Amino acid sequence: MNHSLQFAIIGCGRIASRHAAEMCRHGKLVAVCDIVKEAADTFAQKFKAKAYYSIDALLAGEKKIDVIAICTPNGLHASHSIRSLQAGIHVLCEKPMALSTADAEQMIQAAKNAEKKLYIVKQNRFNPPVMLVKKLLEKQKLGRVFQFQINCFWNRPAAYYQNNWRGTRKLDGGTLFTQFSHFIDILYWLLGDVADIKSFQANFLHTGTIEFEDSGVVLLKMKNGAIGTINYSVNAHRKNMEGSFTLLGEKGTVKIGGQYLNELDYFLVENEPVPVLDHEKPSNQYGFYEGSMSNHDKVYEHLVKALADNDHAMVAADEAIKSVEIIETIYQQRLL
């Protein structure tokens, strides 16, 4: 693609601003869409784009869009992505890809039918400690990985869920989909597929506020033989405390820690010096709570390259579907 890329955004919520900034760096944001007229108008004015209030209107009114970013509630990702693909537009969809494997498969089929690209935002893969451990595993520096532990201890107060789509099964889907799908993606990216899952879930502090769990413990056996746990909660007192991934291998032990997989908490690997990592970017700030690391600049750099070169690696839908599969299985295999 030699011409300046033309972008559009569906869903003018908080994460949309990250997309808009990158779109303006790599091309032109020509149109935005939100069913809340005020949100669409405010966003369009800020980024000098045209406002639409329905996907139908946007797709009918704009014929030269190259890429649409889907930034709507989780439960709408599938239908909005499919509509955009069917209109002949490449799609970059925010996580989670969908709330069911069946919906994700329909998205993949729609992309194939339209001969368009469907990419999913997985920005935590670009965190320096995560990339470091990925390279260690690729070079087999840790030897066989025996065990792992993922801890996700965040805070989401009742106010986070009030007067919006969050907390509903239909549009939110569950804590693993909305808060912690990045951690499931990193698990799959680093250790491969899952062989067996058992899980316990409970709602301790959000009864009457959300339609699913606020805490869970998952026991996993991977196809490569490694065993491990995921401990997750949105009940950390007052603020996010930890988002970590520990790996125990025959030749080394590493822990990616911090609040968002953004620090190297410990590193002891045979014949490997302790690395000095790049200075980390801040997390996404959303008013009274924080989200994952801000790596949308990297996402868009790779998006532009992938659109120009079919051989360039980018998180495509047929890989991103795995985290949906794993989360769906965790919820199906709950024991409590």
Side-chain angles (χ1 to χ4, degrees), residues 53-205:
Y53 316 115
S54 74
I55 293 178
D56 287 339
L58 186 148
L59 296 178
E62 301 290 337
K63 297 300 182 186
K64 295 183 179 179
I65 297 170
D66 297 299
V67 182
I68 284 186
I70 307 299
C71 301
T72 48
N74 303 345
L76 300 175
H77 287 179
S79 60
H80 291 170
S81 294
I82 289 168
R83 294 286 305 286
S84 302
L85 291 162
Q86 288 172 340
I89 302 167
H90 300 298
V91 168
L92 176 65
C93 181
E94 267 293 339
K95 62 81 188 168
M97 177 180 178
L99 295 182
S100 72
T101 306
D103 281 354
E105 286 171 345
Q106 287 186 359
M107 294 165 71
I108 291 171
Q109 192 57 51
K112 287 178 181 172
N113 292 346
E115 297 183 344
K116 291 296 172 181
K117 303 286 180 67
L118 171 59
Y119 297 120
I120 314 299
V121 175
K122 300 289 186 184
Q123 79 267 24
N124 282 19
R125 290 190 181 194
F126 298 111
N127 292 5
V130 175
M131 296 178 74
L132 168 76
V133 173
K134 176 67 172 176
K135 287 175 184 172
L136 288 173
L137 291 167
E138 286 175 343
K139 296 175 182 176
Q140 299 184 318
K141 295 285 188 180
L142 297 179
R144 184 181 165 206
V145 175
F146 305 128
Q147 198 166 350
F148 64 92
Q149 177 174 284
I150 297 173
N151 287 338
C152 309
F153 303 139
W154 286 7
N155 171 272
R156 292 293 182 271
Y160 169 81
Y161 297 101
Q162 284 168 358
N163 303 316
N164 59 53
W165 55 271
R166 299 187 193 99
T168 64
R169 283 199 182 278
K170 186 176 179 181
L171 291 180
D172 183 321
T175 303
L176 286 174
F177 278 119
T178 300
Q179 271 70 50
F180 303 129
S181 66
H182 285 306
F183 292 83
I184 306 296
D185 176 65
I186 298 300
L187 170 66
Y188 173 74
W189 196 46
L190 296 183
L191 296 182
D193 215 343
V194 176
D196 195 20
I197 290 173
K198 295 289 183 287
S199 72
F200 291 91
Q201 281 133 44
N203 186 347
F204 293 108
L205 294 181

